[in-house]
Amino acid sequence: PSPGSVHQALGLRPAATAALRGPPLASGHWGQGRPCQAHLAPPACPHCTLLAPGCGSPASSHPSPACLARAGAAFTCLETAFRLDALHRQMKLLGEDSPVSKLQVKLEPGVNPSHLMNLFTYEKGYCFVYYLSQLCGDPQRFDDFLRAYVEKFKFTSVVAQDLLDSFLSFFPELKEQSVDCRAGLEFERWLNATGPPLAEPDLSQGSSLTRPVEALFQLWTAEPLDQAAASASAVDISKWRTFQTALFLDRLLDGSPLPQEVVTSLSKCYSSLLDSMNAEIRIRWLQIVVRNDYYPDLHRVRRFLESQMSRMYTIPLYEDLCTGALKSFALEVFYQTQGRLHPNLRRTIQQILSQGLGPSAEPSAEPGGAPADTDADSDSPALLLGDEAPSSTISLRDVNVSA
């Protein structure tokens, strides 16, 4: 539920616990050890309610609406900064003239539809919708428009022009001002021009969350390393938001390869902590390990690949391993885990591993065994991103994992 909304929750309260912080209960009862239903009155924030052992009754204190609004805005700006950072990273790889950077790409023969749902669809599209909301100038009216739009087109298929026509119909004063034709920000240009978004949100409200990330990155890249590492190690990133940690690791990834002494210090400071976090965080740290050939942490890479069957968490690591000096390690791990992988994922990894080995050297199902059966796939270059081989400029190793 969104902050400030009235909603209901069904939960089970363990014995000897009570709500320590959160919105007041307008009605309902916290049953001890049995399901209960509670009606939460505003201001209610899903991030601000928790249970603590030993409390006898719910606490009455809760964040003010202004506090909730500031916290929500800061977090939204942090997430947006993280995602736009990934967008610009991909833009550097593809070039600003790439046709897949359009919001509205013409589906022609030979175009793989899966390529059209990418970072540009989501993040450039987000910037366009944000721009529309700013034209409106009133968040509540824009929400009213979105509700009307959904109600009008629910259970039907729509195209971009349906959205824009509905927007101008809902806001006739904007139509009279010809906002769709403003120089440099024309709606048609938003949809059909290549390159970055024509306008991006003001993310200054997120500085309280993004500034510590940038400061820590600057410490790790400063000299002399001994003094910088001592200052950096004093920063407790375990209290950071997930997007802060991911953004920090992305900065380190962008700067790789790093000096070996920096990677060693990073490992001493963060490796064990990051190993306990979710896969989005762990894969970023492990990519730093691989791209910097940091052998002391390779056992963490092995353990991660042994536990992950997901394409988005295996392909980037295998591509990094095969790009550098760790290809034999990648082969070894693949032979040990390939039996647990989905056949399509297994064939994709085989094709990644076979790059540069020659036409008859594709990895077999077992070491020393017969070549893998690739009858159905040998005619196509690769499975990694539709038709592109792993060595192409938009392989997954270069694209933000979350995307």
Side-chain angles (χ1 to χ4, degrees), residues 36-250:
C36 60
Q37 191 166 17
H39 183 79
L40 304 182
C45 177
H47 304 293
C48 295
T49 302
L50 55 84
L51 296 175
C55 296
S57 61
S60 60
S61 62
H62 57 276
S64 67
C67 175
L68 288 171
R70 286 194 298 272
F75 183 81
T76 298
C77 289
L78 167 65
E79 182 178 356
T80 303
F82 167 79
R83 298 190 181 282
L84 290 181
D85 192 60
L87 176 70
H88 290 293
R89 185 179 299 113
Q90 190 170 13
M91 184 72 66
K92 289 179 182 178
L93 293 163
L94 300 180
E96 294 194 1
D97 295 329
S98 172
V100 301
S101 66
K102 296 180 181 180
L103 278 182
Q104 189 168 257
V105 182
K106 193 173 182 180
L107 188 59
E108 299 174 331
V111 176
N112 189 327
S114 66
H115 296 175
L116 308 185
M117 297 300 291
N118 51 41
L119 276 172
F120 300 98
T121 307
Y122 290 103
E123 311 313 334
K124 189 175 180 179
Y126 165 80
C127 290
F128 185 28
V129 175
Y130 179 85
Y131 172 68
L132 294 178
S133 74
Q134 295 302 294
L135 287 176
C136 163
D138 183 344
Q140 185 56 55
R141 283 196 71 201
F142 191 71
D143 284 351
D144 293 341
F145 156 68
L146 292 177
R147 290 189 187 95
Y149 173 74
V150 171
E151 182 63 28
K152 179 180 180 180
F153 290 104
K154 65 183 180 182
F155 310 125
T156 63
S157 297
V158 294
V159 295
Q161 197 59 46
D162 293 326
L163 171 67
L164 300 181
D165 290 343
S166 297
F167 177 80
L168 293 175
S169 296
F170 195 90
F171 299 105
E173 69 278 13
L174 296 180
K175 185 175 183 179
E176 291 178 4
Q177 298 171 25
S178 300
V179 295
D180 57 323
C181 300
R182 287 184 177 175
L185 293 166
E186 301 89 345
F187 287 3
E188 189 277 336
R189 186 175 177 186
W190 268 104
L191 293 179
N192 298 308
T194 60
L198 303 181
E200 294 185 6
D202 176 11
L203 304 180
S204 58
Q205 285 184 289
S207 61
S208 62
L209 297 175
T210 56
R211 195 183 302 116
V213 174
E214 301 297 343
L216 185 59
F217 174 70
Q218 293 299 327
L219 279 176
W220 280 111
T221 54
E223 294 182 353
L225 177 62
D226 291 344
Q227 295 179 11
S231 300
S233 60
V235 178
D236 183 7
I237 68 170
S238 68
K239 293 181 171 57
W240 278 8
R241 302 290 187 95
T242 299
F243 279 116
Q244 287 179 290
T245 307
L247 189 61
F248 170 59
L249 295 175
D250 279 344

